[in-house]
């Protein structure tokens, strides 16, 4: 499978030669994965050395699990499911174990998952009792005629599906209890209680070129009235389409919903692709009769790393203009994996078949 970028075409045309050689031959074995564990005011002076080490280790373990599945030829949907389960089980994040408390000191968890190969999706909102919400979202996608279930109905479906159930106190940690107690005692405001969105998520492309995305969260500390954020909403917090990208978001959910961030990024990539091919075709040199010496085919063309990053950054900038904070991770059909965020930091990691493997916390990494 040949891949050309517009820059490569222009460079070749500048030499006066037709496109005889591809920029790179990736074969059929390219894969990529990106993960996140939340974004927000994540500064070095707010995180202890022990917390820093534990978070990096958790991100590394999750990334390794997803990468192994992809390396071994597994599907993107399996890779992100396994990755998110690990993050849900880690109390360092606001998903599953370690989920934040509502105003009523209960836990209401949200999750969603989407398969870019057929646009199938599943989501759950305001649930409790299921150990791993991502598995319930996956069950909705695979085993129900619906896309989203909520509340007690979703809990009932979980039990009927035989998913592992836990007591309500499973989610609780001393840190989360301290947060809600401070908020209820009016010692701090909702904005100040913990300005980190600990939502977790993963996106991936497998060796077959299929995309998948998933997101899981406990929501906002002190949320009331059954509030639901962007994480379980397909198109806002999660989206995947083999034709464009896979996105998982974290941040101030109301703004991600209003902008439809996940779908917006994928739509812009999808619209940009044919335009970029047209630009590349115009750059191809002509023969003596004025005909193109080469026809650029979509199967051998890709958007550049810079174009993908710019599209993601533009949407996150628009989110900021509305007043929203947070970030996204992305994976593309061409093997790129990355992030965009407008906060001080973001728990994140990525790995690709090209040898990239990294985890990071702070904005300057």
């Amino acid at each position: 499978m040949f891949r050309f970028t517009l820059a490569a075409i222009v460079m070749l045309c500048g030499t006066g030669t037709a496109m005889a050689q591809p920029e790179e031959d990736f074969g059929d074995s390219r894969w990529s994965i990106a993960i996140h564990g939340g974004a927000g005011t994540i500064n070095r002076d707010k995180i202890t050395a022990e917390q820093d080490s534990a978070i990096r280790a958790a991100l590394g373990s999750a990334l390794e699990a997803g990468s192994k599945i992809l390396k071994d030829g597994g599907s993107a949907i399996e890779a992100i499911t396994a990755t998110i389960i690990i993050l849900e089980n880690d109390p360092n994040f606001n998903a599953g174990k370690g989920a934040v408390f509502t105003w009523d000191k209960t836990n209401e968890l949200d999750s969603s998952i989407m398969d870019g190969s057929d646009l199938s999706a599943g989501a759950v909102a305001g649930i409790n009792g299921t150990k791993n919400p991502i598995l319930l979202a996956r069950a909705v996608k695979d085993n129900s005629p619906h896309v989203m279930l909520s509340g007690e109905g979703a809990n009932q479906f979980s039990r009927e599906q035989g998913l592992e159930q836990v007591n309500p106190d499973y989610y609780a940690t001393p840190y989360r209890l301290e947060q809600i107690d401070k908020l209820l005692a009016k010692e701090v405001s909702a904005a100040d209680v913990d300005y980190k969105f600990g939502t977790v998520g993963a996106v991936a492309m497998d060796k077959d070129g299929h995309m998948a995305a998933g997101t899981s969260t406990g929501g906002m500390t002190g949320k009331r009235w059954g509030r639901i954020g962007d994480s379980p909403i397909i198109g806002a917090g999660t989206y995947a389409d083999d034709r464009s990208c896979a996105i998982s978001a974290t941040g101030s959910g109301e703004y991600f919903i209003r902008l439809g961030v996940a779908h917006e990024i994928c739509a812009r990539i999808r619209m940009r692709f044919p335009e970029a091919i047209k630009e590349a075709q115009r750059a191809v040199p002509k023969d003596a009769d004025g005909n193109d010496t080469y026809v650029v085919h979509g199967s051998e063309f890709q958007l550049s790393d810079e174009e993908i990053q710019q599209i993601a950054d533009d949407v996150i900038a628009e989110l900021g203009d509305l007043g929203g904070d947070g970030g996204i991770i992305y994976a593309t059909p061409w093997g790129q994996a990355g992030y965009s965020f407008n906060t001080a930091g973001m728990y994140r990691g990525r790995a690709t078949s090209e040898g990239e493997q990294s985890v990071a916390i702070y904005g300057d990494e």
Side-chain angles (χ1 to χ4, degrees), residues 137-347:
R138 176 82 179 269
V140 173
K141 181 185 85 70
D142 293 342
N143 303 327
S144 87
H146 309 299
V147 170
M148 179 181 284
L149 301 180
S150 66
E152 186 50 40
N155 291 336
Q156 178 184 343
F157 182 72
S158 177
R159 294 189 293 269
E160 292 176 358
Q161 291 294 302
L163 297 179
E164 184 176 355
Q165 303 295 299
V166 293
N167 294 323
D169 60 0
Y170 164 79
Y171 308 111
T173 63
Y175 175 58
R176 296 305 188 192
L177 285 167
E178 180 184 5
Q179 284 183 314
I180 190 62
D181 286 340
K182 286 183 176 181
L183 179 63
L184 295 177
K186 298 184 179 180
E187 294 179 18
V188 293
S189 69
D192 294 331
V193 64
D194 182 24
Y195 196 46
K196 295 192 292 292
F197 307 105
T199 297
V200 305
V203 296
M205 183 196 76
D206 60 35
K207 290 183 177 181
D208 292 324
H210 297 316
M211 317 290 297
T215 311
S216 186
T217 188
M220 294 174 61
T221 301
K223 61 184 178 179
R224 305 177 74 178
W225 310 299
R227 179 264 184 187
I228 297 169
D230 65 301
S231 295
I233 298 179
I234 301 302
T238 300
Y239 201 76
D241 185 339
D242 282 4
R243 299 169 296 180
S244 54
C245 69
I247 301 287
S248 175
T250 176
S252 43
E254 283 71 14
Y255 295 95
F256 280 82
I257 294 170
R258 288 165 60 185
L259 198 56
V261 166
H263 182 271
E264 181 72 13
I265 293 172
C266 289
R268 293 191 190 188
I269 290 173
R270 186 180 171 195
M271 289 187 291
R272 173 59 186 154
F273 185 67
E275 290 302 315
I277 291 178
K278 290 178 183 178
E279 292 173 13
Q281 190 63 55
R282 288 195 291 269
V284 170
K286 310 292 184 181
D287 61 19
D289 297 322
N291 300 313
D292 290 342
T293 56
Y294 188 86
V295 176
V296 179
H297 296 284
S299 61
E300 61 188 16
F301 188 84
Q302 73 174 67
L303 296 183
S304 68
D305 296 353
E306 293 76 17
E307 284 179 292
I308 297 295
Q309 190 65 51
Q310 188 62 59
I311 289 171
D313 289 347
D314 286 346
V315 175
I316 293 301
E318 292 175 22
L319 178 83
D321 290 341
L322 284 177
D325 294 316
I328 60 94
I329 52 175
Y330 64 78
T332 75
W334 310 290
Q336 294 127 326
Y339 345 89
S340 181
F341 54 96
N342 64 3
T343 51
M346 181 174 177
Y347 302 139

Side-chain angles (χ1 to χ4, degrees), residues 35 58-69 71 83 86 351 357:
I35 66 174
L59 292 170
S61 295
L63 192 64
E64 184 177 352
S67 297
K68 184 178 188 307
I69 291 172
K71 287 178 186 176
T83 298
I86 291 174
Q357 184 161 348

Side-chain angles (χ1 to χ4, degrees), residues 62-84:
L63 192 64
E64 184 177 352
S67 297
K68 184 178 188 307
I69 291 172
L70 295 170
K71 287 178 186 176
D72 293 343
S75 69
I77 203 80
E78 292 295 342
I80 66 163
T81 301
T83 298
I84 292 173

Side-chain angles (χ1 to χ4, degrees), residues 33-39 42 47 50-68 79-80 82-94 197-202 250 329 339 341 345-351 357-362 365:
I33 185 171
I35 66 174
H36 72 75
I42 304 173
I47 297 177
E50 292 76 15
Q51 289 173 324
D52 183 296
S53 178
I55 291 166
R56 290 180 190 274
L59 292 170
S61 295
L63 192 64
E64 184 177 352
S67 297
K68 184 178 188 307
I80 66 163
T83 298
I84 292 173
I85 286 173
I86 291 174
L87 296 174
E88 286 179 336
N89 291 344
D90 193 300
N92 283 295
F93 307 103
N94 173 23
F197 307 105
T199 297
V200 305
T250 176
I329 52 175
Y339 345 89
F341 54 96
M346 181 174 177
Y347 302 139
R348 61 199 188 275
R350 63 181 170 187
Q357 184 161 348
S358 62
V359 297
I361 294 179
Y362 312 107
E365 291 185 88

